[in-house]
Amino acid sequence: MRNPIGFSTGVLYETVDPVSAKIVEICKDLGCEAIEVNCHHHPEHTEKIENGDFLKALKSAGFKHFSVHMPCNVYLDSYGEGYLAIHRIMASCLIFSPVDYFLIHPDLVGDWRIVNGLACLSLVIENMDHRKNSFRYPKELRTFFDAHPEFGFVLDVNHWAVNDLPVNGIGEIITEFSNRLVGVHLSGVSDNDYHAPIHKTDQYWLVEQLHNLPPNIPIILEGVCTDIDEMKVELQYVRRSLSDY
C-alpha cells in the first residue's frame, strides 16, 4: 500500500483559484489520491468554501484524503474574527464530508484555550519555517505536545530544511512523533527558501527521508508550479522516488 499523494490547491495560485472546482478537477485528472485545500486568506477563501459549490466538487471527486489549511492572515487570541473564521470553515466542510484534518499555524495562536476544544475535530499544527519565531525546532514541538497531547502533527519538509536542521532528522522526527503524525508537506527549497517543486531542485535526499513513513500518512506536494504539466512531472518524480525504497 502506497501513501496517498496529492497537491495543495495553492500550487497554481498565480493562475488558478485555490478554492475552485477547477483546481479540484486538475488534481483529480492527474490521478491524485489526496488533496489539501489552501484556504489561506480570510474572508475571501472562507466565503468561497461557504458557497458550497467548491465542496460539492471535492465530494464528487472522491479523494482518499481531504484536509484543509486554515487562514494565515487571522490571529487566534480571542473569540473574535479568527476564531469565527475557523468555526465557519469547519462547519461548512463537515456538512459535506469528513475531513482528515484542519491545519493551523501555531504561531498565530495567542491563547490556546480558545482552540483546545477544537482539537477533537482534527485540528492539527505544523512545524514553522525560518521566518517564524516559534515552533521551528523539535524541542519546541515536544514541549507543545506534552502540554497539548490532543493535537495532531503535520511535518513540513521544506520548513525543516530551511531551519538548517539535519536532513537525517526528518526520519527521526517521523519515528518520534509517529503516534500523532497525520500528514507530510513535501517540497524542495528554492534559492530564496520558498516552496519549489522538488523535481526542479532535484533534492531527492529530502524524499529519501520518507522511506519509513507509515503507508496511511498522506503526502501533500506544496512546490509552486507554473502549469499543469509541471504538476504532472512533480507527481511522477515523487512517486518514482518513493518507489525506490
Side-chain angles (χ1 to χ4, degrees):
M1 178 182 177
R2 69 184 186 185
N3 297 87
I5 302 177
F7 288 93
S8 160
T9 61
V11 295
L12 290 181
Y13 77 95
E14 295 177 336
T15 56
V16 179
D17 188 340
V19 186
S20 67
K22 183 176 182 180
I23 190 63
V24 173
E25 180 182 353
I26 289 170
C27 291
K28 186 63 178 177
D29 288 347
L30 287 173
C32 296
E33 302 100 354
I35 193 168
E36 184 161 301
V37 179
N38 183 293
C39 186
H40 275 199
H41 298 292
H42 174 77
E44 176 190 358
H45 291 163
T46 305
E47 292 170 355
K48 287 179 179 178
I49 282 182
E50 287 180 318
N51 176 267
D53 293 340
F54 171 70
L55 292 174
K56 288 177 183 177
L58 263 177
K59 186 174 182 179
S60 64
F63 295 102
K64 292 180 181 177
H65 169 87
F66 162 38
S67 52
V68 180
H69 193 305
M70 292 297 203
C72 299
N73 63 333
V74 292
Y75 288 89
L76 297 165
D77 54 1
S78 68
Y79 291 98
E81 185 175 6
Y83 180 78
L84 293 176
I86 282 184
H87 261 283
R88 288 168 60 185
I89 293 166
M90 282 184 159
S92 297
C93 290
L94 292 172
I95 287 173
F96 283 88
S97 65
V99 180
D100 291 280
Y101 62 73
F102 296 92
L103 185 149
I104 59 171
H105 278 185
D107 66 302
L108 297 177
V109 180
D111 186 346
W112 285 99
R113 292 174 297 179
I114 71 172
V115 294
N116 281 347
L118 300 177
C120 63
L121 297 175
S122 299
L123 195 65
V124 307
I125 70 164
E126 68 176 324
N127 54 307
M128 296 285 89
D129 67 17
H130 62 298
R131 297 170 296 178
K132 308 295 185 178
N133 294 322
S134 58
F135 294 93
R136 296 166 56 184
Y137 302 110
K139 183 178 180 180
E140 296 172 283
L141 296 171
R142 293 183 192 110
T143 299
F144 172 79
F145 288 126
D146 284 345
H148 304 275
E150 65 276 18
F151 280 82
F153 175 54
V154 172
L155 172 64
D156 191 302
V157 172
N158 170 282
H159 293 176
W160 182 276
V162 298
N163 281 314
D164 292 326
L165 290 162
V167 171
N168 61 5
I170 294 172
E172 294 172 1
I173 208 73
I174 287 172
T175 299
E176 180 179 349
F177 290 152
S178 60
N179 65 328
R180 66 179 70 256
L181 187 69
V182 296
V184 168
H185 286 173
L186 178 62
S187 62
V189 181
S190 68
D191 291 339
N192 61 354
D193 292 336
Y194 196 56
H195 293 280
I198 205 160
H199 78 270
K200 267 189 169 181
T201 62
D202 201 25
Q203 293 160 329
Y204 58 86
W205 55 88
L206 295 178
V207 186
E208 283 180 343
Q209 302 306 312
L210 304 182
H211 71 277
N212 66 335
L213 191 66
N216 62 310
I217 301 298
I219 298 172
I220 302 298
L221 307 178
E222 289 195 317
V224 177
C225 298
T226 56
D227 52 33
I228 298 171
D229 288 339
E230 190 164 83
M231 288 177 68
K232 182 178 181 179
V233 173
E234 179 78 342
L235 189 61
Q236 291 173 339
Y237 180 94
V238 173
R239 281 180 173 162
R240 184 172 63 250
S241 299
L242 287 171
S243 67
D244 292 338
Y245 303 99

Short mmCIF file of all heavy atoms in Angstrom, two decimals, residues 75-80 82-83 86-87 104 106 108-120 123 125 135 144 147-148 150-151:
data_model
loop_
_atom_site.label_atom_id
_atom_site.label_comp_id
_atom_site.label_asym_id
_atom_site.label_seq_id
_atom_site.Cartn_x
_atom_site.Cartn_y
_atom_site.Cartn_z
N TYR A 75 -5.50 36.05 13.53
CA TYR A 75 -4.91 35.62 14.79
C TYR A 75 -5.97 35.02 15.71
O TYR A 75 -7.14 35.39 15.65
CB TYR A 75 -4.21 36.79 15.48
CG TYR A 75 -2.93 37.19 14.78
CD1 TYR A 75 -2.94 38.12 13.75
CD2 TYR A 75 -1.72 36.60 15.13
CE1 TYR A 75 -1.77 38.47 13.10
CE2 TYR A 75 -0.54 36.94 14.48
CZ TYR A 75 -0.58 37.87 13.46
OH TYR A 75 0.57 38.20 12.81
N LEU A 76 -5.52 34.08 16.51
CA LEU A 76 -6.41 33.38 17.43
C LEU A 76 -6.01 33.74 18.86
O LEU A 76 -5.42 32.96 19.59
CB LEU A 76 -6.31 31.87 17.20
CG LEU A 76 -6.76 31.42 15.81
CD1 LEU A 76 -6.30 30.02 15.52
CD2 LEU A 76 -8.27 31.52 15.68
N ASP A 77 -6.35 34.97 19.24
CA ASP A 77 -6.01 35.45 20.57
C ASP A 77 -7.24 35.86 21.36
O ASP A 77 -7.14 36.36 22.47
CB ASP A 77 -5.03 36.62 20.50
CG ASP A 77 -5.52 37.75 19.62
OD1 ASP A 77 -6.64 37.63 19.07
OD2 ASP A 77 -4.78 38.73 19.45
N SER A 78 -8.42 35.64 20.76
CA SER A 78 -9.68 35.93 21.43
C SER A 78 -10.78 35.21 20.66
O SER A 78 -10.53 34.59 19.64
CB SER A 78 -9.96 37.45 21.44
OG SER A 78 -10.20 37.90 20.11
N TYR A 79 -12.01 35.30 21.18
CA TYR A 79 -13.13 34.69 20.47
C TYR A 79 -13.65 35.68 19.42
O TYR A 79 -14.84 35.98 19.35
CB TYR A 79 -14.24 34.31 21.45
CG TYR A 79 -13.83 33.17 22.35
CD1 TYR A 79 -13.36 33.41 23.64
CD2 TYR A 79 -13.91 31.85 21.92
CE1 TYR A 79 -12.97 32.36 24.47
CE2 TYR A 79 -13.53 30.81 22.74
CZ TYR A 79 -13.06 31.07 24.01
OH TYR A 79 -12.67 30.03 24.83
N GLY A 80 -12.71 36.17 18.60
CA GLY A 80 -13.04 37.17 17.60
C GLY A 80 -13.08 36.62 16.20
O GLY A 80 -13.47 35.47 15.95
N GLY A 82 -10.81 35.63 13.99
CA GLY A 82 -10.05 34.43 13.66
C GLY A 82 -10.75 33.17 14.12
O GLY A 82 -10.84 32.18 13.39
N TYR A 83 -11.24 33.19 15.35
CA TYR A 83 -11.95 32.04 15.91
C TYR A 83 -13.22 31.75 15.10
O TYR A 83 -13.53 30.60 14.78
CB TYR A 83 -12.30 32.33 17.36
CG TYR A 83 -13.04 31.21 18.06
CD1 TYR A 83 -12.36 30.08 18.51
CD2 TYR A 83 -14.41 31.30 18.29
CE1 TYR A 83 -13.03 29.06 19.16
CE2 TYR A 83 -15.09 30.28 18.95
CZ TYR A 83 -14.39 29.16 19.38
OH TYR A 83 -15.06 28.15 20.02
N ILE A 86 -12.43 30.06 11.73
CA ILE A 86 -12.19 28.63 11.87
C ILE A 86 -13.50 27.87 12.02
O ILE A 86 -13.72 26.82 11.39
CB ILE A 86 -11.27 28.36 13.08
CG1 ILE A 86 -9.82 28.67 12.71
CG2 ILE A 86 -11.37 26.92 13.55
CD1 ILE A 86 -8.83 28.36 13.80
N HIS A 87 -14.40 28.38 12.84
CA HIS A 87 -15.70 27.73 13.02
C HIS A 87 -16.48 27.69 11.72
O HIS A 87 -17.12 26.66 11.40
CB HIS A 87 -16.50 28.48 14.10
CG HIS A 87 -16.43 27.83 15.44
ND1 HIS A 87 -17.14 26.71 15.76
CD2 HIS A 87 -15.72 28.15 16.56
CE1 HIS A 87 -16.89 26.35 17.00
NE2 HIS A 87 -16.02 27.21 17.52
N ILE A 104 -3.67 24.47 11.37
CA ILE A 104 -3.45 25.88 11.71
C ILE A 104 -1.96 26.12 11.94
O ILE A 104 -1.22 25.20 12.30
CB ILE A 104 -4.22 26.31 12.98
CG1 ILE A 104 -3.80 25.47 14.19
CG2 ILE A 104 -5.72 26.27 12.76
CD1 ILE A 104 -4.35 25.99 15.51
N PRO A 106 0.63 27.34 14.29
CA PRO A 106 0.60 27.55 15.74
C PRO A 106 1.12 28.90 16.19
O PRO A 106 0.76 29.37 17.27
CB PRO A 106 1.47 26.41 16.26
CG PRO A 106 2.37 26.03 15.12
CD PRO A 106 1.53 26.24 13.90
N LEU A 108 0.23 31.62 15.13
CA LEU A 108 -0.87 32.58 15.08
C LEU A 108 -1.81 32.48 16.28
O LEU A 108 -2.76 33.24 16.39
CB LEU A 108 -1.69 32.36 13.79
CG LEU A 108 -0.96 32.59 12.47
CD1 LEU A 108 -1.87 32.26 11.29
CD2 LEU A 108 -0.46 34.03 12.37
N VAL A 109 -1.53 31.53 17.16
CA VAL A 109 -2.41 31.32 18.32
C VAL A 109 -1.84 32.07 19.52
O VAL A 109 -0.74 31.79 19.99
CB VAL A 109 -2.55 29.82 18.65
CG1 VAL A 109 -3.46 29.64 19.86
CG2 VAL A 109 -3.08 29.05 17.45
N GLY A 110 -2.61 33.04 20.00
CA GLY A 110 -2.18 33.80 21.16
C GLY A 110 -2.72 33.24 22.46
O GLY A 110 -2.18 33.50 23.53
N ASP A 111 -3.81 32.46 22.36
CA ASP A 111 -4.43 31.88 23.56
C ASP A 111 -4.94 30.49 23.18
O ASP A 111 -5.95 30.36 22.49
CB ASP A 111 -5.57 32.76 24.04
CG ASP A 111 -6.17 32.29 25.36
OD1 ASP A 111 -5.87 31.15 25.77
OD2 ASP A 111 -6.94 33.06 25.97
N TRP A 112 -4.23 29.46 23.63
CA TRP A 112 -4.59 28.09 23.26
C TRP A 112 -5.91 27.65 23.86
O TRP A 112 -6.53 26.68 23.38
CB TRP A 112 -3.47 27.13 23.64
CG TRP A 112 -2.31 27.24 22.69
CD1 TRP A 112 -1.16 27.94 22.88
CD2 TRP A 112 -2.23 26.69 21.37
NE1 TRP A 112 -0.36 27.86 21.75
CE2 TRP A 112 -1.00 27.09 20.82
CE3 TRP A 112 -3.08 25.89 20.62
CZ2 TRP A 112 -0.59 26.73 19.54
CZ3 TRP A 112 -2.68 25.52 19.33
CH2 TRP A 112 -1.46 25.94 18.80
N ARG A 113 -6.39 28.34 24.86
CA ARG A 113 -7.66 27.95 25.46
C ARG A 113 -8.81 28.07 24.48
O ARG A 113 -9.80 27.33 24.58
CB ARG A 113 -7.95 28.81 26.69
CG ARG A 113 -7.01 28.55 27.87
CD ARG A 113 -7.26 29.53 28.99
NE ARG A 113 -6.98 30.91 28.58
CZ ARG A 113 -7.13 31.98 29.35
NH1 ARG A 113 -7.55 31.82 30.61
NH2 ARG A 113 -6.86 33.19 28.91
N ILE A 114 -8.70 28.96 23.50
CA ILE A 114 -9.82 29.17 22.59
C ILE A 114 -9.86 28.14 21.46
O ILE A 114 -10.85 28.04 20.75
CB ILE A 114 -9.80 30.60 21.99
CG1 ILE A 114 -8.65 30.77 21.00
CG2 ILE A 114 -9.75 31.64 23.07
CD1 ILE A 114 -8.70 32.08 20.25
N VAL A 115 -8.79 27.37 21.29
CA VAL A 115 -8.79 26.36 20.22
C VAL A 115 -8.63 24.94 20.75
O VAL A 115 -8.81 23.98 20.00
CB VAL A 115 -7.68 26.63 19.18
CG1 VAL A 115 -7.94 27.91 18.44
CG2 VAL A 115 -6.30 26.64 19.82
N ASN A 116 -8.30 24.77 22.03
CA ASN A 116 -8.11 23.43 22.58
C ASN A 116 -9.31 22.53 22.34
O ASN A 116 -9.17 21.34 22.03
CB ASN A 116 -7.81 23.50 24.08
CG ASN A 116 -6.36 23.88 24.36
OD1 ASN A 116 -5.53 23.86 23.47
ND2 ASN A 116 -6.09 24.25 25.59
N GLY A 117 -10.50 23.08 22.49
CA GLY A 117 -11.70 22.27 22.33
C GLY A 117 -11.94 21.82 20.91
O GLY A 117 -12.72 20.89 20.67
N LEU A 118 -11.30 22.47 19.95
CA LEU A 118 -11.49 22.11 18.55
C LEU A 118 -10.57 20.98 18.11
O LEU A 118 -10.72 20.45 17.00
CB LEU A 118 -11.24 23.33 17.65
CG LEU A 118 -12.16 24.53 17.90
CD1 LEU A 118 -11.76 25.70 17.01
CD2 LEU A 118 -13.62 24.16 17.65
N ALA A 119 -9.63 20.59 18.94
CA ALA A 119 -8.70 19.52 18.58
C ALA A 119 -9.44 18.21 18.35
O ALA A 119 -8.99 17.36 17.57
CB ALA A 119 -7.63 19.35 19.65
N CYS A 120 -10.58 18.03 19.02
CA CYS A 120 -11.36 16.81 18.83
C CYS A 120 -11.92 16.73 17.42
O CYS A 120 -12.35 15.65 16.97
CB CYS A 120 -12.48 16.72 19.85
SG CYS A 120 -13.71 18.02 19.73
N LEU A 123 -8.11 19.21 14.58
CA LEU A 123 -7.31 20.41 14.42
C LEU A 123 -5.85 20.05 14.70
O LEU A 123 -5.54 19.45 15.73
CB LEU A 123 -7.77 21.49 15.39
CG LEU A 123 -7.29 22.92 15.13
CD1 LEU A 123 -7.85 23.46 13.82
CD2 LEU A 123 -7.70 23.83 16.28
N ILE A 125 -1.36 21.01 13.97
CA ILE A 125 -0.37 22.06 13.71
C ILE A 125 0.75 21.51 12.83
O ILE A 125 0.88 20.29 12.64
CB ILE A 125 0.25 22.61 15.01
CG1 ILE A 125 1.15 21.55 15.68
CG2 ILE A 125 -0.84 23.07 15.97
CD1 ILE A 125 2.08 22.13 16.73
N PHE A 135 7.96 27.37 17.18
CA PHE A 135 7.52 26.12 16.58
C PHE A 135 8.39 25.70 15.39
O PHE A 135 7.90 25.09 14.44
CB PHE A 135 6.05 26.21 16.16
CG PHE A 135 5.10 26.36 17.31
CD1 PHE A 135 4.70 27.62 17.73
CD2 PHE A 135 4.62 25.25 17.99
CE1 PHE A 135 3.84 27.77 18.81
CE2 PHE A 135 3.76 25.38 19.07
CZ PHE A 135 3.37 26.65 19.48
N PHE A 144 5.31 21.57 23.26
CA PHE A 144 3.91 21.83 22.92
C PHE A 144 3.06 20.57 23.06
O PHE A 144 2.00 20.59 23.69
CB PHE A 144 3.79 22.36 21.49
CG PHE A 144 2.37 22.46 21.02
CD1 PHE A 144 1.58 23.53 21.40
CD2 PHE A 144 1.81 21.48 20.21
CE1 PHE A 144 0.25 23.62 20.99
CE2 PHE A 144 0.49 21.55 19.79
CZ PHE A 144 -0.29 22.63 20.19
N ALA A 147 2.16 19.46 26.46
CA ALA A 147 1.10 20.27 27.07
C ALA A 147 -0.24 20.10 26.36
O ALA A 147 -1.29 20.33 26.96
CB ALA A 147 1.51 21.74 27.06
N HIS A 148 -0.20 19.71 25.07
CA HIS A 148 -1.42 19.61 24.26
C HIS A 148 -1.43 18.28 23.51
O HIS A 148 -1.34 18.24 22.27
CB HIS A 148 -1.49 20.77 23.27
CG HIS A 148 -1.42 22.12 23.90
ND1 HIS A 148 -2.51 22.77 24.42
CD2 HIS A 148 -0.36 22.96 24.10
CE1 HIS A 148 -2.15 23.94 24.93
NE2 HIS A 148 -0.86 24.07 24.75
N GLU A 150 -3.67 16.38 22.65
CA GLU A 150 -4.83 16.13 21.80
C GLU A 150 -4.62 16.57 20.35
O GLU A 150 -5.40 16.23 19.47
CB GLU A 150 -6.07 16.85 22.37
CG GLU A 150 -6.00 18.37 22.37
CD GLU A 150 -5.28 18.97 23.57
OE1 GLU A 150 -4.53 18.25 24.24
OE2 GLU A 150 -5.46 20.18 23.82
N PHE A 151 -3.54 17.32 20.08
CA PHE A 151 -3.30 17.83 18.73
C PHE A 151 -2.50 16.85 17.89
O PHE A 151 -1.60 16.17 18.38
CB PHE A 151 -2.56 19.17 18.78
CG PHE A 151 -3.44 20.34 19.08
CD1 PHE A 151 -3.79 20.64 20.39
CD2 PHE A 151 -3.94 21.14 18.06
CE1 PHE A 151 -4.61 21.71 20.68
CE2 PHE A 151 -4.77 22.21 18.34
CZ PHE A 151 -5.11 22.51 19.65
#
